[in-house]
Amino acid sequence: MKVNLFQAATAVSITLSMFLVSCGENKKSNVDILDSIVDEIITTINRVPNAMATITDKESAHVAVKEMKQVGVDIENIADRLLELEVPSAAEKKRIDRRIADGIADGNEKMGNLDPKVMEDPEIKKIIEEALESLSETLKKVEPIFSEYVKDI
């Protein structure tokens, strides 16, 4: 079954939201470092809907793709840095989860409000599909790292 681009973009946004609702506490228990990484996670996640929202034509789609590719690189870098952190307590995971959920709410809304006519344009769709697939693969790759830091369910 072929998924349309709008659905794929929304799925990537939701996956980012759920997947990156994770972080940890510095082994030295430095909450400032933890909060700094959480800020970076929120900023990184929000760059995807911000980039998608700028797409109006082929040219802007190419610019958005560059940004989405950079988000993938940045997510991998964040995952590498998480490995240096101690897995947080359940209470800390819950705090992090809430903070990230609040921080990405606007981005999720922005993804839900993308213009379907633009997202379904065959030329634009072709340009951004590869970037969305690549971003999804990056998330799958780093998921084992991030999952250690997700709140207890």
Side-chain angles (χ1 to χ4, degrees):
M1 171 172 59
K2 190 161 183 143
V3 176
N4 72 39
L5 185 58
F6 183 74
Q7 290 170 329
T10 301
V12 167
S13 176
I14 291 168
T15 302
L16 272 170
S17 301
M18 291 170 34
F19 174 69
L20 292 176
V21 175
S22 60
C23 197
E25 182 177 334
N26 187 280
K27 287 182 180 177
K28 298 174 186 171
S29 298
N30 188 335
V31 175
D32 291 337
I33 292 175
L34 169 64
D35 286 339
S36 175
I37 291 175
V38 170
D39 289 341
E40 187 176 350
I41 290 169
I42 292 167
T43 299
T44 302
I45 292 169
N46 283 326
R47 285 170 37 210
V48 173
N50 290 342
M52 295 289 291
T54 66
I55 299 173
T56 56
D57 56 21
K58 291 188 324 186
E59 184 177 322
S60 60
H62 285 292
V63 173
V65 162
K66 288 179 186 176
E67 178 64 7
M68 288 187 283
K69 287 181 179 179
Q70 186 60 49
V71 165
V73 170
D74 294 345
I75 287 170
E76 288 187 87
N77 290 335
I78 292 169
D80 289 342
R81 292 195 346 259
L82 284 175
L83 292 173
E84 299 172 10
L85 304 174
E86 189 175 295
V87 175
S89 67
E92 186 66 8
K93 288 177 185 181
K94 188 173 183 177
R95 181 186 77 82
I96 293 164
D97 178 55
R98 181 76 269 152
R99 189 156 166 241
I100 292 174
D102 290 345
I104 62 174
D106 288 343
N108 288 338
E109 185 176 337
K110 195 176 280 189
M111 286 299 284
N113 292 328
L114 293 174
D115 184 349
K117 279 201 290 190
V118 173
M119 293 297 114
E120 291 302 318
D121 178 283
E123 292 179 335
I124 292 173
K125 190 174 182 176
K126 184 177 179 182
I127 293 167
I128 61 176
E129 272 183 337
E130 183 181 328
L132 291 172
E133 288 174 15
S134 175
L135 189 53
S136 180
E137 288 302 312
T138 297
L139 294 175
K140 288 177 189 173
K141 177 181 168 187
V142 300
E143 193 221 353
I145 297 167
F146 279 92
S147 67
E148 285 189 57
Y149 299 86
V150 175
K151 74 174 179 125
D152 293 330
I153 297 175

